[in-house]
Amino acid sequence: MSEVTVYTARRVITMNPSWPEGTAIAVRDGTILEVGTLESLRPWLDAHEHRIDERFAEAVILPGLIDPHLHPMMAAVILPMRFITALEWKLPWETVAPVQTPEAFDARLRELDAELSDPDEPLFVWGYHQLWHGEMNRKRIHEVSIQRPIVVWHRSFHELYMNDGMLERLGIDRAEIEGKHQIDAERGHFYENGLALAIERLNPILMAPQRIALGLERLKQVAHFGGHTTLGDMAAGLFDFNAEWLAATAIIERPETPFRVEMIPTGLRLLATHGSNEKALEFVETLPERNTHRLRFGRRIKLFTDGAFFSQLAQLKAPGYVDGHAGEWLTPPEQFESMARTYWNAGYTIHVHCTGDLGLELALDTLAKLQEERPRFDHGFTIEHFGFSTPEQVTRIAALGARVSANVYYLHELSDMYARSGIGLERASQMARLGSCVAAGVRVALHSDYTMAPALPLASAWVAATRRNCAGDVVAPNECLSVEEALRAITIDAAYMLGLEDEVGSLRAGKRADFAVVDADPFEVGADGLRNIRVLATVFEGTPYPVPTQS
């Protein structure tokens, strides 16, 4: 029998209401034996060979942090790019300074172009947003370079712009894309479903083995830096299913990787690949056969209703956008219902990307219809992102037994700008109305949708508990979560979103020994202090992994 290791700490916060804290935690073979004190653990210590590990004696231990909606492969595609973003980004290897005007964006783009000595080397830039950086098009990129292949990727990831150099590099003729849905050939703009054509042509560059390996190694640093021990890949197969799987197993399925990934495939991409929902389902049913220790498929599927939140393409109920423009459907309503029915009837848990209140209405109407046709209990139907909603929709979510996994960072980065240039103050202030959800009995989790938000769960918890935006304003304070609720949303309630609540998310006997070790007690520093807590280390299945300090 293996030796017992006891980690001591200033405080162990368990997120288990009936046994909320301790100062020591006993572990064997990657599993928690008991949480308590050195004195209360004495029966284990007297009965078994053991060692006391005091490396965390002055720190605080939390359950391993969980992001139930993150995109490892999308992150691997983006992280080798150069960042030009409106807000500061803290990465393990650098801090990216904010760029907030069109002039500053163009100046930075020219700097990046000048850094590349080979004029034919492609330049990928991520982080552009029109409300800070002005209108983008291929002609504007040409002012930097016509020859160099350049892609300016939108902050939302749902759209990009190419110059002629990149169109030529990819063999895309203007006549080929003229008039295609969600492609503007004149501007070199590919968005929502039109993005799929661009990604298909870009894949040989984006998924090149050396490049994707660099991206995944960086993703591992990002996940560890944030204190994660479990991630949910909420769109597995977004680029190329087999290429993604080979890269993930080569880079993530290694002993030094201190987290696991629950893989949730995307129904829309599978439909495009396999031609019908039924054939897509047949393929999905085989995926658990691929499972490894750190990479696992279950019976879950990701669906989409409306367009990207950062692009202001969410589908909105009246009164819509201030300027009168319309959102976009990622899945036409009738197709969405058909797709959802296929997976619902097969017993799958359905996760639905919803950004606007009209997109949310489609998801809830479909859930109500499916429940009437074939009732299911504890079905786990999850609203993902939860940007715009109404109070009445929260009541429906509760009545239908659905859950909410929210990107509360929308509120921090966008509420001030969207109040002035988008939807007005009232609705902008009520993004991610999480307090109402908790009051209605709806289980709530927080996610990053990385790279839509920094992969820093404690920073997301800070936004949820303070509702402070980037302008420094506290908006809709009645929607704040308590510190306890915010911590639940990145631990045990996040585990529920992935169906892993019996394995991870809290610290108790029998669960996996996954911890986040931090330098401050969240309950002592309070809501305002959450974002300043530093992750010192993680423990994954009993093995400690120190977090390097930011370079």
Side-chain angles (χ1 to χ4, degrees):
M1 188 173 291
S2 300
E3 181 182 63
V4 174
T5 300
V6 179
Y7 294 100
T8 60
R10 179 160 62 89
R11 186 181 184 193
V12 178
I13 298 173
T14 69
M15 304 310 296
N16 174 7
S18 63
W19 197 255
E21 63 180 291
T23 55
I25 183 166
V27 175
R28 183 176 61 199
D29 296 330
T31 300
I32 297 169
L33 299 177
E34 188 170 322
V35 179
T37 65
L38 287 177
E39 182 179 356
S40 70
L41 295 176
R42 182 53 53 190
W44 290 103
L45 306 188
D46 290 343
H48 302 283
E49 292 291 326
H50 65 273
R51 64 185 180 90
I52 309 298
D53 191 322
E54 297 183 328
R55 73 180 77 188
F56 307 134
E58 301 303 316
V60 175
I61 290 177
L62 302 172
L65 304 182
I66 299 171
D67 191 326
H69 186 139
L70 182 148
H71 299 292
M73 200 57 62
M74 183 193 298
V77 165
I78 290 175
L79 287 171
M81 298 182 189
R82 304 305 299 267
F83 282 29
I84 308 180
T85 55
L87 297 190
E88 178 184 271
W89 270 69
K90 290 185 177 180
L91 299 165
W93 53 88
E94 67 173 331
T95 295
V96 179
V99 172
Q100 297 188 332
T101 67
E103 296 76 18
F105 186 95
D106 291 349
R108 181 64 180 139
L109 190 59
R110 290 190 185 93
E111 289 175 3
L112 296 177
D113 173 63
E115 290 175 7
L116 302 179
S117 56
D118 181 355
D120 294 323
E121 182 179 349
L123 173 60
F124 289 85
V125 172
W126 175 84
Y128 157 77
H129 196 288
Q130 68 279 1
L131 293 184
W132 282 275
H133 303 138
E135 182 181 343
M136 184 59 61
N137 52 60
R138 66 186 183 86
K139 291 181 179 178
R140 182 175 168 186
I141 305 173
H142 288 165
E143 294 178 7
V144 175
S145 176
I146 295 177
Q147 177 182 355
R148 179 184 306 287
I150 297 178
V151 173
V152 174
W153 218 302
H154 195 278
R155 176 74 174 77
S156 69
F157 192 79
H158 284 233
E159 51 182 314
L160 59 77
Y161 298 81
M162 297 184 194
N163 68 344
D164 285 351
M166 183 58 83
L167 290 169
E168 183 178 341
R169 172 76 169 263
L170 301 180
I172 299 177
D173 185 84
R174 290 274 301 283
E176 174 190 356
I177 58 177
E178 198 74 50
K180 283 190 177 293
H181 183 52
Q182 296 176 334
I183 297 175
D184 186 332
E186 177 62 27
R187 298 173 67 207
H189 185 201
F190 299 75
Y191 58 101
E192 301 301 5
N193 289 316
L195 180 67
L197 185 147
I199 286 179
E200 181 183 334
R201 300 296 179 87
L202 285 166
N203 265 345
I205 302 174
L206 299 177
M207 301 298 291
Q210 186 174 358
R211 190 178 189 282
I212 209 66
L214 169 63
L216 283 173
E217 290 291 354
R218 287 185 171 180
L219 178 276
K220 287 166 65 172
Q221 293 180 54
V222 166
H224 191 209
F225 187 66
H228 301 88
T229 53
T230 300
L231 306 177
D233 181 350
M234 200 56 71
L238 182 64
F239 299 93
D240 179 296
F241 206 100
N242 288 326
E244 289 181 34
W245 181 251
L246 288 172
T249 51
I251 304 297
I252 294 178
E253 189 51 73
R254 290 179 178 171
E256 71 272 15
T257 301
F259 55 85
R260 67 185 64 78
V261 183
E262 292 294 310
M263 311 285 286
I264 298 94
T266 165
L268 200 57
R269 179 70 171 152
L270 290 168
L271 174 62
T273 302
H274 295 277
S276 73
N277 292 323
E278 291 71 27
K279 288 183 178 178
L281 175 61
E282 289 178 12
F283 174 74
V284 171
E285 295 273 46
T286 69
L287 292 178
E289 299 170 8
R290 305 184 182 211
N291 286 358
T292 66
H293 185 72
R294 287 173 172 78
L295 299 162
R296 307 185 304 189
F297 290 95
R299 296 183 67 79
R300 295 177 178 272
I301 194 73
K302 166 77 174 300
L303 306 182
F304 296 81
T305 57
D306 56 337
F309 199 88
F310 272 94
S311 301
Q312 290 200 345
L313 293 178
Q315 288 281 21
L316 298 185
K317 301 171 75 171
Y321 292 99
V322 171
D323 65 5
H325 83 269
E328 296 280 346
W329 292 112
L330 281 176
T331 312
E334 63 279 1
Q335 186 183 57
F336 174 80
E337 182 180 315
S338 172
M339 191 177 297
R341 181 174 288 106
T342 297
Y343 291 99
W344 176 273
N345 290 346
Y348 276 69
T349 296
I350 296 173
H351 298 256
V352 187
H353 161 115
C354 300
T355 57
D357 52 9
L358 188 59
L360 176 56
E361 194 77 358
L362 171 60
L364 296 179
D365 285 348
T366 301
L367 174 56
K369 188 175 293 187
L370 296 176
Q371 277 285 50
E372 184 176 355
E373 293 172 0
R374 183 174 292 191
R376 286 173 53 186
F377 296 96
D378 196 23
H379 48 74
F381 192 100
T382 303
I383 304 302
E384 301 284 342
H385 305 323
F386 195 59
F388 300 123
S389 64
T390 68
E392 295 76 17
Q393 287 176 325
V394 171
T395 300
R396 288 191 76 196
I397 291 170
L400 290 166
R403 299 169 177 171
V404 168
S405 178
N407 187 342
V408 76
Y409 190 79
Y410 289 157
L411 177 87
H412 177 68
E413 181 161 339
L414 297 173
S415 62
D416 176 64
M417 182 64 82
Y418 279 23
R420 293 182 279 118
S421 303
I423 61 169
L425 180 62
E426 178 188 338
R427 285 178 295 159
S429 297
Q430 296 173 77
M431 296 174 182
R433 56 174 80 247
L434 299 181
S436 294
C437 287
V438 171
V442 176
R443 194 179 297 277
V444 165
L446 303 177
H447 68 248
S448 68
D449 192 22
Y450 193 77
T451 53
M452 297 310 100
L456 299 169
L458 288 163
S460 292
W462 170 79
V463 178
T466 65
R467 293 188 67 86
R468 190 175 297 279
N469 66 19
C470 64
D473 301 322
V474 175
V475 294
N478 288 346
E479 295 295 340
C480 288
L481 299 185
S482 69
V483 171
E484 172 85 16
E485 290 161 350
L487 289 177
R488 286 185 61 89
I490 58 174
T491 56
I492 185 60
D493 287 341
Y496 270 98
M497 300 298 153
L498 298 173
L500 299 178
E501 64 274 12
D502 287 336
E503 288 187 56
V504 296
S506 63
L507 303 177
R508 64 157 173 82
K511 283 198 171 185
R512 294 185 182 274
D514 292 355
F515 320 148
V517 184
V518 297
D519 69 346
D521 186 328
F523 294 102
E524 291 180 0
V525 301
D528 283 331
L530 289 174
R531 67 171 170 172
N532 297 319
I533 295 175
R534 187 163 67 90
V535 178
L536 304 175
T538 61
V539 175
F540 178 67
E541 297 181 351
T543 300
Y545 295 83
V547 172
T549 56
Q550 188 184 39
S551 58

